[in-house]
Amino acid sequence: MSKRTKSMPEPADVAETPRRAADRIRDTAFDLFYREGIRAIGVEEIVNRAGVTKPSLYRAFESKDELIAEYLRDYDRRFRDNFAAQGAGHPDDPKAQLLAYVDYLAVRASTEGYRGCGLTNAVIEYPDPAHPAHQVGVESKQALRERLREMCHAMGAADADELADGLLLLIEGSYVSGQAFGERSPARVLGAMARRLIEASLASR
Amino acid sequence: MSKRTKSMPEPADVAETPRRAADRIRDTAFDLFYREGIRAIGVEEIVNRAGVTKPSLYRAFESKDELIAEYLRDYDRRFRDNFAAQGAGHPDDPKAQLLAYVDYLAVRASTEGYRGCGLTNAVIEYPDPAHPAHQVGVESKQALRERLREMCHAMGAADADELADGLLLLIEGSYVSGQAFGERSPARVLGAMARRLIEASLASR
DNA sequence: CAGAGTACGTACCGATCGGTAACATTGTCA
DNA sequence: TGACAATGTTACCGATCGGTACGTACTCTG
């Protein structure tokens, strides 16, 4: 890792600490919005912690609401990636893929300081359907529901849509319960419960 | 319904529109906090809608945080009452009591404009464990978990604690999903899923 | 080396936040 | 009638909110 020359900056070699103000803002906002809540964090705190200034924020983002929407779209992207990554070890086996994610979530939602799903939290923080935060959150949840339906159908469940909704309830329940119970979260039984619902659906085929 | 005499005011006969400023504030705060979110509502808006003034609020409540805690304690009280009321038709039948609440919730969480559980929402809005709103919310959830465990044990479930947590996940999932999906909420399958988990637990006895 | 364009900071805006001091008004009781 | 408690009125506090006008430093290009 040698110091790069001034005359030839390569984008890749400064990836550790983003040099662009917009990137630092994005990263800082992601962290603060997720951990502390969106309404709880003002733009002042974001720019302070990012080591930049307010005008830099408003040059890169139209408004705080737009920054929030950006954060949530980013969160959604990471979620989809992670959801896919957890099941990557089981190609063409939707049931195993689903259980892999569920088992992952059961652990993650039972760690101290867990803060749930950023998208779910956003929908709750912004109940107004007209607010971008609400909209992005809802769209992501609809996509997840659809994905679960596809998987349940693919695994040959008798009542795929119903099973998918049941699993969605368990998953969302794990998101929020993790925040209230910490290490002893009810989310620890998520895997067992998901298996019971799935088995019941596959048995009654 | 005759007009009461001035000399003998009865507490019960003015219940419709509370005359005391503190009561009006309490009722208005309950409504606004629940529907719009706690952080979204300022004390100014509360007193305006309640038709009172700010000093009246601060004569009755120490601070906004204390008013929030009061709101949540009130919410918890109503929740317990309602939870008991739904099962009141089935004395000495914990399974039927639980299913009665679950069936009630499935309908309520699938109505347009549903705003979930005020306590769950508060825990999400105030992730800081030191904040009274977080604490009251968590305490209420712990009590619910304990209640579910008792009921699952009483109905003779093989793994009562595990089943209780599974049902808690379904219930909490219904609270939050109702806000994202409205009428077509996954919460509509809550009853069917709860029954499957319960039957599985009772069968393996 | 000049000049353009980009990236950023200093300082400030009006509005609203939670909260309070001082005083006037009302209705209820003795 | 007169005391008391409850409420309203008005005006204000410092802090923070989201947002912006304007000046400055750097870098790339001619």
Side-chain angles (χ1 to χ4, degrees):
Chain A
M1 290 276 183
S2 68
K3 206 166 188 176
R4 67 181 168 84
T5 68
K6 280 187 179 179
S7 59
M8 215 199 135
E10 293 170 49
D13 100 17
V14 284
E16 328 147 40
T17 294
R19 49 187 239 296
R20 300 183 99 69
D23 293 339
R24 305 196 47 148
I25 291 166
R26 224 183 297 265
D27 291 358
T28 307
F30 190 101
D31 191 53
L32 289 178
F33 281 160
Y34 178 63
R35 280 180 20 228
E36 313 267 349
I38 301 174
R39 291 202 119 110
I41 297 296
V43 291
E44 191 97 34
E45 191 166 352
I46 293 174
V47 297
N48 283 347
R49 296 233 201 177
V52 299
T53 56
K54 252 197 281 192
S56 288
L57 191 155
Y58 284 96
R59 271 185 289 262
F61 306 93
E62 224 181 37
S63 62
K64 187 195 177 186
D65 279 0
E66 184 45 37
L67 176 59
I68 294 170
E70 198 83 15
Y71 150 63
L72 292 172
R73 282 188 285 262
D74 193 9
Y75 194 101
D76 179 55
R77 232 174 285 129
R78 299 194 203 186
F79 169 76
R80 289 174 202 241
D81 289 352
N82 183 252
F83 187 86
Q86 297 304 325
H90 312 275
D92 301 319
D93 187 348
K95 179 179 159 188
Q97 289 171 359
L98 222 160
L99 290 177
Y101 174 72
V102 146
D103 287 337
Y104 151 83
L105 177 59
V107 172
R108 187 160 131 77
S110 307
T111 53
E112 194 58 48
Y114 177 66
R115 255 292 282 176
C117 172
L119 297 152
T120 300
N121 297 351
V123 171
I124 289 174
E125 276 202 273
Y126 293 88
D128 178 7
H131 196 284
H134 189 92
Q135 287 170 0
V136 176
V138 167
E139 280 163 26
S140 174
K141 293 304 170 189
Q142 282 169 342
L144 172 60
R145 190 188 202 181
E146 196 50 48
R147 184 87 191 85
L148 290 176
R149 282 177 170 169
E150 287 169 13
M151 294 174 85
C152 289
H153 192 266
M155 75 175 73
D159 44 4
D161 287 5
E162 199 182 26
L163 175 62
D165 281 355
L167 294 173
L168 186 55
L169 292 185
L170 287 177
I171 290 171
E172 291 290 336
S174 298
Y175 290 151
V176 302
S177 293
Q179 303 182 60
F181 293 96
E183 291 185 335
R184 303 217 185 302
S185 171
R188 293 202 290 185
V189 307
L190 171 60
M193 297 301 128
R195 281 173 176 82
R196 282 189 206 172
L197 291 188
I198 291 172
E199 293 314 317
S201 266
L202 295 184
S204 69
R205 215 169 356 177
Chain B
M1 290 272 186
S2 68
K3 204 166 187 177
R4 67 179 169 86
T5 67
K6 279 188 180 178
S7 57
M8 217 199 135
E10 292 170 49
D13 95 15
V14 282
E16 329 148 39
T17 293
R19 48 188 240 296
R20 298 184 98 67
D23 294 338
R24 305 196 47 150
I25 291 168
R26 224 183 296 266
D27 291 358
T28 307
F30 189 101
D31 192 52
L32 289 178
F33 282 159
Y34 178 64
R35 279 181 21 228
E36 313 267 348
I38 301 174
R39 292 200 119 111
I41 297 297
V43 291
E44 191 97 35
E45 191 166 351
I46 293 174
V47 297
N48 285 345
R49 296 234 201 174
V52 300
T53 55
K54 247 197 288 192
S56 287
L57 192 156
Y58 284 96
R59 274 187 284 256
F61 304 93
E62 224 181 36
S63 62
K64 188 195 175 185
D65 278 1
E66 185 44 39
L67 176 59
I68 294 169
E70 199 83 14
Y71 150 62
L72 292 173
R73 283 188 284 263
D74 192 9
Y75 195 101
D76 179 56
R77 232 173 285 129
R78 298 195 204 185
F79 169 76
R80 289 175 201 242
D81 289 351
N82 183 252
F83 187 86
Q86 297 304 325
H90 312 276
D92 300 319
D93 187 348
K95 179 179 159 188
Q97 288 171 358
L98 222 160
L99 290 177
Y101 174 72
V102 146
D103 287 337
Y104 151 84
L105 177 59
V107 172
R108 187 160 131 78
S110 307
T111 52
E112 193 60 46
Y114 176 66
R115 255 291 283 176
C117 171
L119 297 152
T120 299
N121 296 352
V123 171
I124 289 175
E125 277 202 271
Y126 293 88
D128 178 8
H131 196 284
H134 188 92
Q135 288 170 0
V136 176
V138 166
E139 281 163 25
S140 174
K141 293 304 170 186
Q142 283 169 343
L144 172 60
R145 190 187 202 184
E146 197 49 50
R147 184 86 190 85
L148 290 176
R149 283 178 170 168
E150 287 169 13
M151 294 173 86
C152 288
H153 193 268
M155 76 176 74
D159 45 4
D161 287 4
E162 199 181 26
L163 174 62
D165 280 355
L167 294 173
L168 186 54
L169 292 185
L170 287 177
I171 290 171
E172 290 291 335
S174 298
Y175 289 151
V176 302
S177 293
Q179 301 182 62
F181 292 96
E183 292 185 334
R184 303 219 184 301
S185 172
R188 292 202 291 185
V189 307
L190 170 60
M193 298 300 130
R195 281 172 176 82
R196 283 189 205 172
L197 292 187
I198 291 172
E199 293 314 318
S201 266
L202 295 184
S204 68
R205 215 170 358 179

